[in-house]
Amino acid sequence: MQVKTKAIVISSLKFQEKSLIVKCFTLSNGLKSYFVRDAFSSRKASQKIAYFQPLSILEIEAVHKNKGTLENFKEIKTAVPFQTIHTDIFKSTIVMFLSEMLHYSIQEEEKNEPLFVFLETALTWLDHHDEISNFHLILLLEITKYLGFYPDVSEIDLPYFEMKEGIFTPFHTSTALSEHETNLFKKLIDLRLDNNDKIFHVVERQILLRIMIDFYSAHLEGFKRPKSLDILKEIFS
């Protein structure tokens, strides 16, 4: 089946000497993996590879056989031409980290149009703004809405957040955050992209980052700690 759709690049892996395997989150079909033959050998190789930087947003035409094998692109062009994301060290580190998080979080090959639209909107916001120190934290929390484990905030005034159940509770269990951690988490829940500057200190952001990694681990089978996590901590320390 021939498909024309937007696609967000989740990861790209070199295959043998000349080719790439590219995993994309598509608007039309959810998660798809594509084989790019001779990505490193043509005269326009650098131009071709540039399409597949982390979280690039593409307009693609592709042939989807839907047999669980690698699919093939017919045509690729940039859908959202980023101005700063892949040149600013802070932003590029953020998207490298987030692409890894999405790689381990989006596990089903099924359409999720609301998540795609949210990611496209958020990445466009990131490209046009400079106060971004809390962007990855806000994004990770918001993504849980689309993956089905956003915290139940109906009793948010209670002092502890229970990670496995995803609820606020009056009791401190072995899998609950401390009262201090819970208060930080509540602040994060209240944050929005357009109102998030300088609310957390560096140490508090690192605590929240650990909380979000643990929260994903508690709710997603097979979730792995991103390799780029240490780089992100270093950049924002």
Side-chain angles (χ1 to χ4, degrees):
M1 178 175 64
Q2 188 162 325
V3 175
K4 185 174 183 178
T5 183
K6 283 185 177 179
I8 298 173
V9 176
I10 302 299
S11 66
S12 60
L13 177 67
K14 191 173 183 180
F15 180 75
Q16 296 180 344
E17 291 300 315
K18 300 179 180 180
S19 302
L20 275 176
I21 296 173
V22 180
K23 182 176 286 188
C24 291
F25 180 53
T26 69
L27 178 60
S28 63
N29 296 88
L31 206 60
K32 285 287 182 184
S33 293
Y34 300 88
F35 183 66
V36 184
R37 189 182 303 277
D38 297 332
F40 294 92
S41 60
S42 69
R43 281 186 292 176
K44 294 185 178 180
S46 60
Q47 181 180 342
K48 185 183 290 188
I49 294 166
Y51 285 126
F52 306 122
Q53 296 182 83
L55 302 190
S56 292
I57 304 175
L58 308 176
E59 184 80 47
I60 66 169
E61 287 188 36
V63 177
H64 288 175
K65 296 180 180 178
N66 298 317
K67 294 181 178 179
T69 56
L70 295 174
E71 313 288 14
N72 292 284
F73 294 117
K74 289 194 70 177
E75 188 175 332
I76 309 167
K77 61 182 180 181
T78 301
V80 180
F82 293 139
Q83 304 300 312
T84 64
I85 279 180
H86 293 129
T87 56
D88 180 293
I89 184 63
F90 295 100
K91 294 182 182 182
S92 63
T93 302
I94 285 174
V95 297
M96 179 172 61
F97 166 73
L98 290 173
S99 68
E100 270 200 274
M101 289 292 294
L102 290 169
H103 176 78
Y104 294 124
S105 303
I106 303 174
Q107 300 167 342
E108 299 295 328
E109 286 194 24
E110 58 184 35
K111 182 177 180 179
N112 191 335
E113 187 172 334
L115 176 57
F116 187 98
V117 171
F118 168 73
L119 290 173
E120 181 179 24
T121 302
L123 290 167
T124 302
W125 185 95
L126 176 64
D127 192 48
H128 290 91
H129 290 80
D130 296 323
E131 182 47 62
I132 59 169
S133 57
N134 299 316
F135 177 85
H136 54 298
L137 299 172
I138 296 170
L139 203 73
L140 288 179
L141 183 59
E142 289 296 307
I143 286 171
T144 65
K145 290 180 180 178
Y146 304 95
L147 298 180
F149 58 98
Y150 188 78
D152 180 349
V153 297
S154 59
E155 296 188 90
I156 197 171
D157 291 335
L158 295 175
Y160 303 105
F161 180 69
E162 214 297 318
M163 296 280 274
K164 284 193 173 181
E165 297 297 325
I167 61 173
F168 290 88
T169 172
F171 308 108
H172 186 261
T173 66
S174 60
T175 54
L177 300 180
S178 69
E179 195 163 359
H180 173 62
E181 291 169 335
T182 299
N183 285 332
L184 288 177
F185 194 55
K186 288 177 181 180
K187 285 184 179 181
L188 178 59
I189 288 172
D190 286 338
L191 282 193
R192 297 296 177 266
L193 288 177
D194 57 358
N195 182 25
N196 77 94
D197 55 334
K198 296 181 175 59
I199 190 169
F200 299 121
H201 300 301
V202 171
V203 173
E204 291 175 331
R205 281 200 298 271
Q206 291 182 349
I207 291 170
L208 283 166
L209 186 56
R210 175 182 54 78
I211 289 170
M212 291 310 305
I213 297 292
D214 290 345
F215 191 43
Y216 273 62
S217 297
H219 290 271
L220 294 174
E221 187 176 348
F223 180 82
K224 295 181 181 179
R225 182 180 184 272
K227 294 178 182 177
S228 58
L229 180 59
D230 292 335
I231 302 173
L232 184 76
K233 288 180 178 178
E234 183 70 25
I235 288 291
F236 284 97
S237 63

